[in-house]
Amino acid sequence: MAVYYDPETRTFTLSTRNTTYQMKADELGTLLHTYYGTKTDTSDLSYAIHMQDRGLSGNPYETGQTDRGYSLDQLPQEVSCFGTGDYRTSSMKITNEDGTAALRLKYADHKIQKGKYSLPGLPASYDGEGAAQTLSITMRDEESGVTVELYYGVFADLDVITRAARIVNDGPGAKYVNKAGSMNLDFVSGEFDLITFYGKWARERVTERTPVNHGNLSIGSVRGASSPHYNPSAILCERSATETAGEAYGFAYVYSGDFLFEAEKDQIDQTRLVCSIHPMDFTWKLAPGESFYTPEILMTYSADGFAGLSNHFHEFIRKHIVRGKWRDIRRPVLINNWEGTYFDFNGDKLVAIAKDAAELGIELFVMDDGWFGKREDDNSGLGDWYPNEKKLGCTLKELGERIEDTGVKFGIWFEPEAVSEDSDLYREHPEWAMTIPGRLPNRSRNELILNMGREDVQDYILERMTEILRSAPISYVKWDFNRSVCDKFIETLPPDRQGEIAHRFTLGTYRVLEELIRTFPELLIEGCSSGGGRFDAGMLYYTPQIWCSDDTDPIERLTIQYGTSFIYPPNTMGAHVSASPNHQTRRVTPLQTRGVTAMSGTFGYELDLNKLTDEEKQEVKRQVRVFRDLYETLEQGEYYRLTTPFSDTCTVWEQVSRDKRTAVVNAVYHYARANHTPVYVRLRGLDTEKTYRLRLTEGNDYKTLPEHEQILFEEGRTFTGRTLMTRGIFIPIYLTEYQAWQIIAEEA
Ligand code: DGJ
């Protein structure tokens, strides 16, 4: 039973295949958190909470004058409330109409149900196969009349537990939600590190590991999008945890707007982790009877290091976040014209690229920015979603048909949430752009933001996109978003609701995406935000893949995709082979290396194929064949990071097919050294009893290797899975700078 309630002890035990999560409603109604970790039984674990009187940590009035050990300031709790004696960071803060801010939530009731809760207007994991259970716990603050429903979704087989909450104003007078936490997770013991994923434009999701010391360690975004600067995910692990050993807890926020992750070590060395909508620019007014849903957070735990944690999340995101037709079928290998042409194209040029693409086995052509309105550069035209027929030399329908006639599908770029001042839309509806009366707005890439919190704006975008998508044979949309939100104001909202705008903006975007998917269920949407600026589990609910970064340099991508892989599976990471020298770094790399890196993402190309030599075209053909051949293993398999891009010379990672019959070891030399030291790796995830043969991918002759390295691939040589995972193998030496290898281990 995934959710078990013991009425004697009032404990709730959530059990997954390998983990236990437990909480207890104590005599005072506080919902204590008693345990999260390696699977144990359902007995009451609250004995381990040590209560002692400590100065300056007060006691709830009900404890009387004798029990000074019971303090909300010290107890591990499921929801932590501001204003009633817990001075650590809180997951909930609510202000009453009279200005007082005090909340003390006590257990009132609970419900256990089959299936998975959903959250109106918000993305949330779903349960297609009837595998999940939901526990809802009702908590109440009698004094203010606030009710909070805590939701727990338990996916036992995948070791994932989800959380969210609904805050209801059941009392008289308005309430103002100042902090809406999705999770409060308390650990009474342990020394932890927090791993976060920081970055900037063109360098997203770089791993950073920081000890959680006394005080508050936080990451977040107030940019109106989850942002490239900090990804809305984190790992809390014991100090000694590695890829292969140690306890690690993973968290992924299913939300694309402002967020805050806080890790706090308190006065008695307990650790608290809180995830919420960022409170800096958030206040949500609840009139009597109204309610507010927090976004969802995913939690997983692995006792065996980061690889286990990543594989839980990969499988979960693939199966329970990504939806629709594209969840289960192979995504098309695509070519995008952005780095090939930028704004300098016409219909004929695009058709010529599509023709070459089709001949090389590529399946989808994507027309990026510049096909609409007056858009010859990035200074104008956004919002005018009408094809520029003069530039294209034909209608969009004709262009789509010409592209499809070459043998590839047709896709198209939008940036729906943005508007240029130099656009007909802005001239007609200046009030639709986010600006504060009496202030000049903040420009970014010379664009302003459309007020997605307004329904008329959402309707305009829907109307334009629907008409465009109906007008031509379009199978794919790239949904871009190239700036951070600022200048928040909605004239139709009263002053005490202006703090809702950032969240309303995100909800507005979600509404448009949801309607679009409903109208065009076959459409494949790729998210994008100046690269990977909105790469989160919230967007993945609508867009099965997200452009990982505007940095297409394969060596830079090693770090970006490495960081991304901790939480998100390869088939969500938009990754393309681009030209060399690379446009962002000027680095020259072999075409094969660019292919190997991009194949651990959704795989596509982003260059002018007409400029490739015949030899390069053959290499592209080979790559497409290899990718298709290895698709199941690369995109759906288990994922193991064998070395890191911060290591000495070579980044190595591995994917293993679900049936364990095939593994791909990808190795890229990111640094060439004289007098090279061999790089050894132990494979992971294989079947110890199976026998494997090693080979290099098609087109790579092992006989070109130094003689002593050929031994791995000699005819007739086999290895047991056990050998490959214990003694391991060396990675063949590089023959050219930035050489990459794909070594296939196949069941013999
Ligand atoms: C930013 C994206 O990340 C690029 O791939 C490209 O679509 C440009 N925007 C177009 O303006």
Side-chain angles (χ1 to χ4, degrees):
M1 215 180 328
V3 181
Y4 172 71
Y5 175 65
D6 182 341
E8 294 281 300
T9 56
R10 302 217 298 178
T11 51
F12 300 89
T13 307
L14 314 183
S15 305
T16 69
R17 192 194 291 255
N18 299 296
T19 71
T20 296
Y21 185 106
Q22 197 191 68
M23 48 211 143
K24 175 187 173 87
D26 73 9
E27 300 81 54
L28 295 190
T30 307
L31 191 60
L32 301 172
H33 174 76
T34 62
Y35 179 70
Y36 186 25
T38 298
K39 191 158 188 163
T40 179
D41 52 46
T42 56
S43 60
D44 181 354
L45 303 173
S46 63
Y47 69 86
I49 301 171
H50 187 257
M51 292 187 218
Q52 185 180 320
D53 179 15
R54 282 170 225 278
L56 300 180
S57 289
N59 321 106
Y61 209 80
E62 315 91 277
T63 54
Q65 290 183 329
T66 48
D67 185 1
R68 292 188 182 187
Y70 190 102
S71 173
L72 295 172
D73 200 26
Q74 297 172 29
L75 288 172
Q77 295 159 69
E78 280 300 306
V79 54
S80 52
C81 304
F82 181 83
T84 46
D86 185 346
Y87 298 94
R88 298 167 285 181
T89 195
S90 321
S91 61
M92 295 270 177
K93 181 180 176 198
I94 295 177
T95 303
N96 298 303
E97 206 169 34
D98 62 6
T100 57
L103 186 69
R104 170 86 198 281
L105 291 168
K106 294 185 182 174
Y107 170 79
D109 200 0
H110 75 269
K111 220 189 278 164
I112 299 170
Q113 281 163 304
K114 258 183 90 142
K116 168 73 200 343
Y117 64 84
S118 56
L119 303 171
L122 281 165
S125 58
Y126 63 94
D127 171 29
E129 294 97 39
Q133 261 189 301
T134 293
L135 165 67
S136 329
I137 301 182
T138 306
M139 306 286 292
R140 195 159 287 143
D141 178 52
E142 293 301 343
E143 289 80 358
S144 65
V146 169
T147 303
V148 173
E149 302 259 359
L150 300 176
Y151 299 126
Y152 299 82
V154 187
F155 291 81
D157 280 355
L158 296 177
D159 283 327
V160 171
I161 296 173
T162 70
R163 290 189 61 175
R166 176 174 174 238
I167 305 166
V168 191
N169 181 2
D170 280 331
K175 307 274 180 286
Y176 295 87
V177 182
N178 306 122
K179 192 167 183 191
S182 301
M183 173 188 77
N184 182 92
L185 189 60
D186 282 338
F187 297 85
V188 292
S189 61
E191 291 288 319
F192 295 105
D193 284 343
L194 189 71
I195 298 177
T196 53
F197 307 94
Y198 78 95
K200 57 185 172 186
W201 172 75
R203 190 156 175 82
E204 298 88 343
R205 291 171 298 288
V206 183
T207 49
E208 186 157 71
R209 185 166 178 162
T210 316
V212 179
N213 287 324
H214 293 97
N216 197 317
L217 173 66
S218 72
I219 55 150
S221 165
V222 286
R223 293 168 179 271
S226 48
S227 91
H229 305 87
Y230 297 102
N231 191 259
S233 60
I235 293 171
L236 189 77
C237 59
E238 60 180 330
R239 293 255 160 100
S240 57
T242 64
E243 279 292 338
T244 53
E247 292 194 282
Y249 300 84
F251 308 93
Y253 205 23
V254 190
Y255 188 57
S256 318
D258 294 355
F259 76 95
L260 182 66
F261 266 100
E262 297 164 283
E264 179 176 351
K265 189 171 181 178
D266 71 11
Q267 53 174 341
I268 50 168
D269 303 332
Q270 304 184 120
T271 300
R272 167 169 287 181
L273 202 68
V274 171
C275 175
S276 66
I277 294 177
H278 204 303
M280 176 99 81
D281 192 19
F282 173 81
T283 303
W284 195 277
K285 181 179 180 181
L286 289 179
E290 282 183 352
S291 61
F292 178 85
Y293 287 88
T294 74
E296 175 168 272
I297 185 156
L298 315 178
M299 312 188 295
T300 193
Y301 164 84
S302 162
D304 307 315
F306 309 134
L309 178 153
S310 297
N311 281 315
H312 294 164
F313 271 150
H314 287 197
E315 192 58 357
F316 189 79
I317 289 172
R318 272 194 293 252
K319 290 252 170 69
H320 298 285
I321 293 285
V322 171
R323 296 180 290 168
K325 168 180 165 183
W326 296 102
R327 184 184 86 153
D328 298 317
I329 62 169
R330 185 171 72 70
R331 316 261 175 81
V333 178
L334 68 82
I335 171 102
N336 178 303
N337 74 307
W338 179 242
E339 285 197 23
T341 67
Y342 294 104
F343 290 102
D344 181 18
F345 62 83
N346 58 30
D348 289 345
K349 199 166 178 178
L350 300 184
V351 173
I353 297 176
K355 193 161 171 292
D356 262 10
E359 277 161 17
L360 301 179
I362 295 170
E363 297 151 309
L364 167 71
F365 173 85
V366 179
M367 175 170 66
D368 210 279
D369 196 354
W371 57 268
F372 53 90
K374 184 184 128 207
R375 182 82 172 161
E376 291 311 328
D377 53 33
D378 58 8
N379 291 310
S380 60
L382 290 172
D384 294 343
W385 302 111
Y386 297 89
N388 183 344
E389 293 180 0
K390 201 160 154 240
K391 177 171 177 174
L392 299 178
C394 57
T395 64
L396 194 63
K397 179 166 187 280
E398 283 158 355
L399 180 66
E401 286 167 357
R402 286 177 70 197
I403 300 265
E404 285 213 332
D405 284 347
T406 68
V408 293
K409 295 279 185 201
F410 181 46
I412 188 171
W413 178 97
F414 285 93
E415 190 178 352
E417 295 141 287
V419 63
S420 306
E421 284 160 271
D422 184 3
S423 70
D424 291 341
L425 181 68
Y426 184 76
R427 282 181 281 275
E428 206 176 314
H429 284 292
E431 79 285 4
W432 283 4
M434 288 247 210
T435 49
I436 298 175
R439 274 183 193 278
L440 294 173
N442 190 32
R443 289 188 179 124
S444 187
R445 212 192 184 205
N446 266 344
E447 16 179 302
L448 300 182
I449 286 286
L450 281 180
N451 220 323
M452 294 298 288
R454 291 176 63 133
E455 236 176 271
D456 46 3
V457 170
Q458 298 163 19
D459 290 344
Y460 168 78
I461 296 171
L462 269 171
E463 183 268 315
R464 279 293 76 227
M465 289 186 79
T466 306
E467 194 194 299
I468 293 284
L469 294 177
R470 288 220 169 104
S471 73
I474 297 169
S475 349
Y476 162 107
V477 159
K478 180 173 171 187
W479 179 300
D480 207 344
F481 180 47
N482 287 306
R483 60 159 294 174
S484 305
V485 180
C486 196
D487 308 298
K488 286 164 227 159
F489 176 71
I490 298 187
E491 64 187 357
T492 49
L493 288 181
D496 64 350
R497 283 194 178 272
Q498 294 291 325
E500 300 176 6
I501 296 176
H503 185 57
R504 283 177 184 267
F505 180 89
T506 306
L507 293 179
T509 298
Y510 287 154
R511 185 200 147 212
V512 175
L513 280 160
E514 186 65 41
E515 298 264 324
L516 215 59
I517 290 168
R518 201 171 303 144
T519 315
F520 302 99
E522 304 277 305
L523 189 69
L524 172 60
I525 311 182
E526 176 154 345
C528 175
S529 175
S530 286
R534 196 161 54 180
F535 202 118
D536 55 67
M539 283 308 283
L540 287 173
Y541 184 70
Y542 307 96
T543 68
Q545 55 196 57
I546 300 177
W547 183 223
C548 208
S549 175
D550 271 352
D551 189 347
T552 56
D553 177 329
I555 304 304
E556 292 277 276
R557 275 294 183 117
L558 294 175
T559 307
I560 296 167
Q561 294 179 195
Y562 169 82
T564 310
S565 78
F566 277 85
I567 309 290
Y568 308 100
N571 76 338
T572 61
M573 294 186 214
H576 300 166
V577 172
S578 62
S580 177
N582 179 266
H583 291 193
Q584 292 81 37
T585 60
R586 313 308 302 160
R587 189 185 269 117
V588 174
T589 53
L591 184 49
Q592 170 162 342
T593 301
R594 286 174 263 152
V596 168
T597 315
M599 272 186 222
S600 282
T602 56
F603 196 51
Y605 291 82
E606 181 145 345
L607 39 74
D608 188 346
L609 292 173
N610 299 143
K611 292 187 181 148
L612 295 188
T613 63
D614 284 346
E615 200 185 325
E616 287 171 325
K617 286 186 178 169
Q618 288 314 310
E619 169 59 13
V620 170
K621 259 191 181 171
R622 184 195 73 85
Q623 291 180 0
V624 174
R625 269 199 310 272
V626 168
F627 178 69
R628 285 211 199 128
D629 191 34
L630 296 173
Y631 183 82
E632 289 295 323
T633 308
L634 290 172
E635 303 289 292
Q636 308 282 346
E638 289 197 338
Y639 193 95
Y640 296 96
R641 293 166 292 268
L642 303 186
T643 72
T644 87
F646 313 108
S647 62
D648 201 28
T649 54
C650 192
T651 311
V652 190
W653 69 100
E654 178 200 3
Q655 288 106 329
V656 185
S657 65
R658 299 262 141 210
D659 61 10
K660 296 185 183 291
R661 297 183 63 188
T662 312
V664 183
V665 177
N666 311 271
V668 178
Y669 277 99
H670 56 252
Y671 199 91
R673 284 185 191 282
N675 198 5
H676 169 77
T677 311
V679 175
Y680 284 94
V681 291
R682 291 184 174 135
L683 273 60
R684 302 196 63 195
L686 301 179
D687 183 335
T688 47
E689 303 309 321
K690 279 196 190 346
T691 304
Y692 296 87
R693 209 173 12 234
L694 300 185
R695 67 172 171 89
L696 295 172
T697 36
E698 175 203 335
N700 291 286
D701 183 358
Y702 77 89
K703 298 220 168 95
T704 57
L705 295 172
E707 215 166 309
H708 62 276
E709 294 199 337
Q710 296 182 13
I711 196 163
L712 291 180
F713 309 103
E714 275 172 355
E715 240 149 83
R717 180 173 292 278
T718 57
F719 305 83
T720 61
R722 192 186 303 281
T723 303
L724 292 172
M725 294 196 291
T726 50
R727 177 54 275 192
I729 58 169
F730 55 79
I731 300 296
I733 182 71
Y734 53 89
L735 306 174
T736 56
E737 194 171 24
Y738 299 123
Q739 171 101 43
W741 298 112
Q742 276 174 317
I743 301 167
I744 316 296
E746 267 164 347
E747 190 179 8

